[in-house]
Amino acid sequence: MADILKIEDLRKSYAGGFEALKGVSLRIREGEILALLGPNGAGKTTLISTICGITTPTGGHVEVGGHDILKDYRAARSMIGLVPQEINLEPFEKVINTVRFSRGLFGKPADDAALERILRQLSLWDKKDSQIRALSGGMKRRVLIAKALSHEPRVLFLDEPTAGVDVELRKDMWQIVAGLKADGVTIILTTHYIEEAEAIADRIGVIAKGELLLVEEKDKLMARMGKKELEVQLSEPISSVPASLQSQALRLSADGSALIYTYDTNAERTGITKLLSEVAAAGLVLRDVVTRQSSLEDIFVDLVQEGAA
Ligand SMILES: Nc1ncnc2c1ncn2[C@@H]1O[C@H](COP(=O)(O)OP(=O)(O)O)[C@@H](O)[C@H]1O
Ligand SMILES: [Mg+2]
């Protein structure tokens, strides 16, 4: 697929000189879901705000569908929908009017059929005449998405769509995102929830301190950086790792009933055979052996720590 968004060496220094983006380059393919994962203060909102024209960059270039966000602002902006981090809706306005008004802001002709399609897709059609203030938190979030989709953009940014939301609503949101992707919308979402990126993204970018530390297919990322843990369960608990095994990268489980060995699935030798024979030589009796794939969480924590080092 073609790249719908090209970001080259994007920089942003806020007044006072703080560098929130330190030269971010990234290409986004049409139709994909990219999750930008990063801790608070990483620069996620700054990145999105800059692409959407809310914040002025201090360096670099961004093109949306071939339109430069500065020189060709209107054309670029019309291709983008933005769901902001904060809920900012008029409490006394009706749902349908809120969405209609947003469409009008983009100079798009009225199209009630398009609005109906959007509201139905977000399960808001039966609430179209409700005032915003009468809606639940989850519905308000869906209204924000409806507003962002009102002018039928091809790229949708969701800034922390599930921050502070309960588990059920989070899953609803994931379903909505999957539905939009099925409609061909390109989606960039920011999150500091690793499981969110793991659940819905095609690609994952990790951002920390204004730098994009990596961007990778989710599946490849997990495989490339994946480590496995081997848990050697013992028939009798022990109080410490025997001296003869100290050279191994081993730790003892909290209850002393298992030795945990971490290895790289891509290494030429995993060291498992050697480990097991040394365990036997130390006089330990095995009850069972279990392996576990490390999660994206471990990968993320490693990366952000490296980035901070
Ligand atoms: N208007 C602003 N003026 C000065 N500093 C800001 C402004 N907005 C954000 N920052 C700083 O830029 C950094 C990145 O912020 P932000 O993009 O909101 O991060 P994230 O969305 O990843 O939590 C933070 O250190 C934040 O304090
Ligand atoms: Mg933010």
Side-chain angles (χ1 to χ4, degrees):
M1 277 281 188
D3 293 330
I4 193 156
L5 187 63
K6 296 179 188 171
I7 303 166
E8 302 279 351
D9 196 29
L10 188 63
R11 292 170 187 274
K12 174 65 187 181
S13 299
Y14 283 111
F18 179 79
E19 253 192 310
L21 295 177
K22 300 173 183 162
V24 171
S25 297
L26 173 65
R27 287 179 176 235
I28 291 160
R29 294 189 288 265
E30 182 145 29
E32 75 172 331
I33 300 179
L34 178 92
L36 277 173
L37 189 57
N40 279 326
K44 303 182 296 294
T45 298
T46 302
L47 178 60
I48 287 188
S49 306
T50 309
I51 299 167
C52 295
I54 294 164
T55 298
T56 317
T58 40
H61 295 277
V62 180
E63 274 181 24
V64 188
H67 303 290
D68 186 285
I69 56 156
L70 294 177
K71 291 185 207 114
D72 209 358
Y73 170 73
R74 287 177 67 92
R77 188 63 183 85
S78 75
M79 294 186 70
I80 298 174
L82 170 63
V83 182
Q85 197 168 347
E86 307 294 333
I87 293 182
N88 53 347
L89 295 165
E90 278 294 330
F92 295 97
E93 193 57 87
K94 283 184 186 175
V95 169
I96 185 82
N97 292 340
T98 300
V99 179
R100 194 177 276 142
F101 179 70
S102 287
R103 182 178 172 93
L105 284 182
F106 282 89
K108 284 261 187 172
D111 183 344
D112 283 348
L115 297 190
E116 178 172 346
R117 201 166 54 240
I118 292 162
L119 290 176
R120 283 192 186 282
Q121 184 174 23
L122 294 163
S123 311
L124 282 172
W125 183 242
D126 60 335
K127 299 285 178 198
K128 68 180 193 314
D129 296 316
S130 301
Q131 287 187 339
I132 299 293
R133 62 175 178 158
L135 303 181
S136 69
M139 287 177 198
K140 284 183 187 141
R141 280 179 192 266
R142 280 188 264 139
V143 173
L144 287 179
I145 299 177
K147 275 183 66 173
L149 292 172
S150 64
H151 59 289
E152 302 166 87
R154 286 168 59 199
V155 183
L156 184 67
F157 288 92
L158 295 149
D159 197 3
E160 308 247 6
T162 65
V165 154
D166 66 34
V167 176
E168 211 167 307
L169 270 180
R170 190 168 296 165
K171 295 208 163 141
D172 278 355
M173 190 62 74
W174 295 353
Q175 259 182 358
I176 290 169
V177 169
L180 295 172
K181 177 189 155 98
D183 274 1
V185 180
T186 305
I187 293 156
I188 294 105
L189 65 94
T190 70
T191 182
H192 58 268
Y193 297 115
I194 293 158
E195 73 270 26
E196 183 150 288
E198 206 166 343
I200 58 177
D202 298 312
R203 275 200 306 160
I204 294 175
V206 176
I207 184 167
K209 296 189 175 159
E211 285 182 88
L212 197 60
L213 300 176
L214 108 166
V215 193
E216 177 108 50
E217 302 290 331
K218 178 181 67 187
D219 297 342
K220 278 195 200 149
L221 178 66
M222 313 261 323
R224 184 167 71 81
M225 302 196 67
K227 288 183 193 143
K228 269 189 167 175
E229 272 186 3
L230 179 80
E231 188 175 304
V232 180
Q233 296 173 353
L234 306 170
S235 60
E236 297 283 336
I238 54 175
S239 56
S240 62
V241 177
S244 65
L245 293 171
Q246 296 282 348
S247 63
Q248 298 273 7
L250 278 179
R251 62 192 164 83
L252 192 61
S253 66
D255 62 359
S257 69
L259 289 165
I260 297 155
Y261 177 66
T262 306
Y263 63 98
D264 186 342
T265 49
N266 295 310
E268 234 167 75
R269 289 168 194 274
T270 59
I272 292 171
T273 317
K274 183 160 172 277
L275 172 76
L276 292 179
S277 61
E278 286 183 13
V279 166
L284 300 175
V285 180
L286 303 191
R287 192 166 55 80
D288 202 353
V289 172
V290 182
T291 62
R292 264 193 303 270
Q293 179 85 43
S294 71
S295 69
L296 187 57
E297 173 137 25
D298 308 317
I299 297 170
F300 176 58
V301 169
D302 280 355
L303 265 174
V304 171
Q305 277 171 353
E306 272 170 33

